[in-house]
Amino acid sequence: MLKIVKNVSIYSLGNVLSAGISFLLLPLYTRVLSPGDYGQLELLYLVASILTIVISLKIESGYSRYFFESTEKTYREELFSTSQAFVLIGSLVVLVLVFQADTFFSKSILKIEQGEYLIRLITTSSVLEVLIMIPHLNLRLLHKAGAYVTASIVNLTTTVAATLFFLLLFQMRVDGVIWGRILGNATMLVFLYSISPVSHRFAFSRQYLGSMLKFSVFIIPANFTSIILLLSNRYFLNEYQNLIAVGIFSLAAKISSIIPSLFTEPIKAAITPYIFEKIHSPEESKKRLTDIIRYYAIGISIVVLFLSLFAEDIVGIIASNDFKNSSELIFLLTLTNLLLGLVAFLSIAIHITKKSFYVTLSWGISAVCNIGLNILLIPICGQIGAAYASLLTMIILLLTYWVILEKIYPLHLPVKELFLIIVCLVGCYQLGNFIHAGIFVKIFAKGVLLISYLGLILFVIRIFTKEELSMIQTYLQGKIGFFKGK
């Protein structure tokens, strides 16, 4: 068990390091790049998200599923070689097609300056990212936790160093950021092949390829719909507003993405085995899941309130004054990510039932709603409209999951308590908007508001049970006694 917890922690660190590139470079992006440039960069990242799915057809999911079908060395070598050959062929095909149609993509769809050049760069970066996926996944499947994190560190340091070099010394702009990604991905690819625990012997099996694709093809719709739901607002903002609006919205979205990157995804990775180990005891499994949902809602709501109350200060520290309007969007987007976390935990329950097509169905319905809400709200309200479209879509998705689970795997969710948490969260945020004073008075007043919110949760909403409060009290008394003894 300790080994599992240790490996999960290390893998979570690897994921955080991978996501950390964008966070570490964010202050640089928002000071060197204008809001329009940053908006352009976010549109290119949207293209990259689509390209990685098109190139790979999510074969890494099929590879992961069939990797443990046999422990024979030759089987795993052939599986690895087949999957890498497939993504290499897919990469070449996509490179040729995109390079031939770069003018169409840049002028008709994205409508950005230097479009052809930037489309070619982001395609090259996406190809390298796809080629990295399976060698990196191999380390995880073979429990090479240290090597997995080391590879992430190699990518992080190379990308950051290369990006600083291109932006500061060569004074490049969006193209410098993408060149940094290209060098980071290329270095990581070389490193992964140099330490790969699987032989590079070439072999190709149509049978293995068919099995992997048969598994992964059903995952593709859910991935596309999630891209539509989470990222399409950038496209509509560019269509109905301009790249400056895209840049301002994207900065708020990036700050808000701290919640899924640093909290939701690592927590889900850690608790999924904890839930599944009681899969044959449904009531115990359900209790564990609902308890985790309660704890998550409490903890992340505090993070949401903190980020929202100090949004103006956070934006002022990491970005130039051109991005100041981003702070107005952070509360709506962090609240959206809180609800997204609840959706992620409810999806575990759906996977327990092995009825994963409900996930695709739910995301598909929500994606259609999201497109409609973006078309309706963005022309009227601009970036705020895009933020409300995301929040309303996430509410629709959450309700859809809830209705489905009531039929296939009923959970005793603390619906009333969760609703009251949201109400208190909104109320405290609104109170925080009335605090206008000097920096020290403002920090003190907002700190008091945070503590008051925690008091509301503990003593008014009573989200914790009496037994849980007693355990917390006993634990704290023990800690206090320990320090007094010191």
Side-chain angles (χ1 to χ4, degrees), residues 21 69 77 119 133 244 254 265 301 327 349 364 396 409 415:
I21 294 172
E69 288 291 301
E77 288 176 351
I119 285 288
M133 286 179 179
I244 294 174
K254 185 66 70 178
E265 291 176 12
S301 67
S327 60
I396 291 169
Y409 196 77
V415 176

Side-chain angles (χ1 to χ4, degrees), residues 133-358:
M133 286 179 179
I134 292 174
H136 201 202
L137 177 62
N138 249 346
L139 299 177
R140 189 166 185 167
L141 295 175
L142 292 168
H143 304 295
K144 305 287 185 180
Y148 182 87
V149 172
T150 302
S152 298
I153 293 173
V154 167
N155 190 17
L156 174 68
T157 54
T158 307
T159 302
V160 170
T163 304
L164 289 172
F165 180 78
F166 289 124
L167 291 184
L168 299 181
L169 293 183
F170 280 83
Q171 296 186 335
M172 298 168 74
R173 301 180 76 80
V174 175
D175 54 340
V177 175
I178 303 175
W179 271 114
R181 279 175 59 119
I182 289 172
L183 287 181
N185 288 336
T187 305
M188 186 178 181
L189 182 63
V190 172
F191 176 78
L192 285 169
Y193 266 86
S194 68
I195 65 168
S196 176
V198 176
S199 170
H200 305 312
R201 180 181 67 87
F202 178 76
F204 187 86
S205 169
R206 286 186 294 177
Q207 179 186 348
Y208 294 164
L209 178 62
S211 298
M212 288 187 285
L213 291 178
K214 186 177 179 181
F215 179 88
S216 65
V217 72
F218 294 105
I219 299 172
I220 294 172
N223 278 264
F224 270 123
T225 51
S226 66
I227 288 173
I228 292 170
L229 198 156
L230 298 174
L231 298 176
S232 65
N233 40 38
R234 276 74 157 177
Y235 174 80
F236 287 108
L237 277 170
N238 186 41
E239 192 70 21
Y240 292 117
Q241 300 274 301
N242 50 47
L243 283 171
I244 294 174
V246 178
I248 290 171
F249 181 90
S250 297
L251 175 60
K254 185 66 70 178
I255 293 170
S256 304
S257 70
I258 287 172
I259 290 173
S261 297
L262 301 186
F263 296 100
T264 306
E265 291 176 12
I267 291 171
K268 185 181 177 184
I271 62 98
T272 299
Y274 175 73
I275 302 298
F276 272 75
E277 71 182 10
K278 290 294 181 179
I279 199 169
H280 298 299
S281 304
E283 290 306 313
E284 179 64 22
S285 182
K286 289 178 182 181
K287 184 181 183 303
R288 288 186 175 190
L289 184 55
T290 52
D291 285 346
I292 287 164
I293 287 172
R294 283 192 297 116
Y295 305 149
Y296 174 85
I298 296 166
I300 300 304
S301 67
I302 295 169
V303 176
V304 168
L305 187 57
F306 174 82
L307 291 175
S308 302
L309 289 176
F310 295 98
E312 189 176 336
D313 306 289
I314 293 169
V315 171
I317 291 170
I318 67 174
S320 67
N321 198 48
D322 294 334
F323 288 88
K324 65 180 181 181
N325 291 337
S326 295
S327 60
E328 300 171 2
L329 309 172
I330 287 176
F331 176 69
L332 292 173
L333 294 176
T334 50
L335 184 55
T336 299
N337 279 317
L338 187 156
L339 298 182
L340 177 61
L342 296 179
V343 167
F345 294 124
L346 291 180
S347 70
I348 296 174
I350 294 179
H351 289 307
I352 288 174
T353 68
K354 298 181 180 179
K355 296 178 180 179
S356 55
F357 61 88
Y358 280 122

Side-chain angles (χ1 to χ4, degrees), residues 103-143:
T103 302
F104 167 76
F105 285 121
S106 63
K107 292 184 178 179
S108 301
I109 299 178
L110 295 181
K111 302 175 184 176
I112 58 178
E113 296 179 8
Q114 289 187 303
E116 295 92 340
Y117 170 55
L118 294 175
I119 285 288
R120 292 187 174 197
L121 284 183
I122 201 65
T123 303
T124 304
S125 173
S126 301
V127 164
L128 290 169
E129 191 171 331
V130 170
L131 292 172
I132 283 169
M133 286 179 179
I134 292 174
H136 201 202
L137 177 62
N138 249 346
L139 299 177
R140 189 166 185 167
L141 295 175
L142 292 168
H143 304 295

